[in-house]
Amino acid sequence: MKISEQSDSARPKARGTERSLARRAELIAIGRKLFADTSYDTLSMDDIARQAHVAKGLIYYYFQSKRGYYLAIIHDSVADLVNFASSEIELEQLDRVHRTMEAYLRYAEHNQAAFRAIVSGGVGFDAEVHAIRDGVRDAIVATVAEGAYGRTDISPLARMGLFSWVCSVEGATLDWIDRPRLTRDKMRELLVKTLGGAMRAIEELDPAYPAPGPARRDT
């Protein structure tokens, strides 16, 4: 399931007017701020309604439930990250990777509760949050593959090499936001260099996928 394939609870409802769609978007923007550093279990619907200065029924009207509201917020926030990571393909390879990692780390830093929920799979075992996480992973793998190899339909070995790197980025980023002993710039540089190592390993095992210039040790 790709990140663009939303569940019914997370998909914008066609309520028929631009005003209602704008109102829904406004509620999502408010929710992004509320859940940025607060876990799902901590906020009740009464808390959300009070802090958003709206009637609780309005949130139910647009999202059916607290979980529906939460999923819509997560999907909206990570969509920004994915769109940012996959845009401006005209940038040089190394610049694109730096840009993607900068956006990823900024998102994790400023949306810590949401980031933890996505990486850990949501509340309990939440298949829909898992699908959102998988969509983020696929988007980053595709972005790196396009920049490194000029295409996204890469071999299983090459994909696994990039996928393994993405999973390591998740774990390292979780530890970084819990214990921010490195600056964001230093963390970004570290993750970019570990990608170079992954690409060299891919080339060693599958010469059809040579590491791009910026990832080579001899450049």
Side-chain angles (χ1 to χ4, degrees):
M1 180 175 177
K2 304 297 184 184
I3 195 165
S4 58
E5 296 174 344
Q6 304 177 50
S7 68
D8 289 341
S9 61
R11 184 179 295 113
K13 304 300 179 182
R15 296 293 185 182
T17 69
E18 291 185 6
R19 180 179 177 183
S20 63
L21 292 174
R23 185 57 168 153
R24 184 182 187 278
E26 180 183 353
L27 290 171
I28 289 177
I30 292 170
R32 285 181 63 165
K33 294 178 181 178
L34 292 177
F35 283 107
D37 292 306
T38 307
S39 68
Y40 177 89
D41 291 329
T42 300
L43 287 173
S44 68
M45 284 295 279
D46 288 329
D47 294 331
I48 294 168
R50 183 173 59 255
Q51 295 188 51
H53 304 291
V54 298
K56 186 166 60 175
L58 186 67
I59 300 174
Y60 282 115
Y61 174 75
Y62 283 105
F63 304 101
Q64 289 75 60
S65 66
K66 176 184 172 183
R67 181 173 177 277
Y69 185 42
Y70 185 65
L71 286 173
I73 291 164
I74 288 181
H75 190 281
D76 185 76
S77 59
V78 300
D80 286 348
L81 171 62
V82 170
N83 291 336
F84 187 84
S86 60
S87 64
E88 296 193 27
I89 59 175
E90 71 279 1
L91 291 176
E92 294 293 329
Q93 293 168 338
L94 188 59
D95 290 337
R96 287 190 68 192
V97 174
H98 274 273
R99 187 177 187 272
T100 299
M101 285 296 94
E102 176 70 17
Y104 188 91
L105 292 172
R106 279 184 180 274
Y107 174 79
E109 188 176 18
H110 297 294
N111 300 272
Q112 294 188 18
F115 181 81
R116 289 189 183 94
I118 294 164
V119 172
S120 64
V123 182
F125 184 88
D126 193 319
E128 291 180 80
V129 178
H130 273 246
I132 294 172
R133 181 197 62 192
D134 291 346
V136 174
R137 288 174 173 173
D138 288 343
I140 294 177
V141 167
T143 295
V144 175
E146 180 67 34
Y149 308 120
R151 62 187 190 276
T152 58
D153 57 331
I154 56 178
S155 71
L157 187 146
R159 181 193 173 278
M160 183 57 70
L162 297 183
F163 181 80
S164 298
W165 171 75
V166 170
C167 291
S168 72
V169 167
E170 290 177 353
T173 303
L174 277 175
D175 187 76
W176 176 68
I177 60 177
D178 285 337
R179 294 180 288 183
R181 297 170 183 172
L182 298 179
T183 65
R184 188 171 62 246
D185 286 348
K186 187 66 69 175
M187 186 67 178
R188 184 193 65 230
E189 290 297 323
L190 177 62
L191 296 177
V192 170
K193 288 186 180 298
T194 59
L195 174 59
M199 288 181 165
R200 292 192 295 274
I202 291 170
E203 178 182 12
E204 182 178 343
L205 295 171
D206 188 347
Y209 291 88
R216 308 195 72 82
R217 291 190 182 279
D218 54 357
T219 58

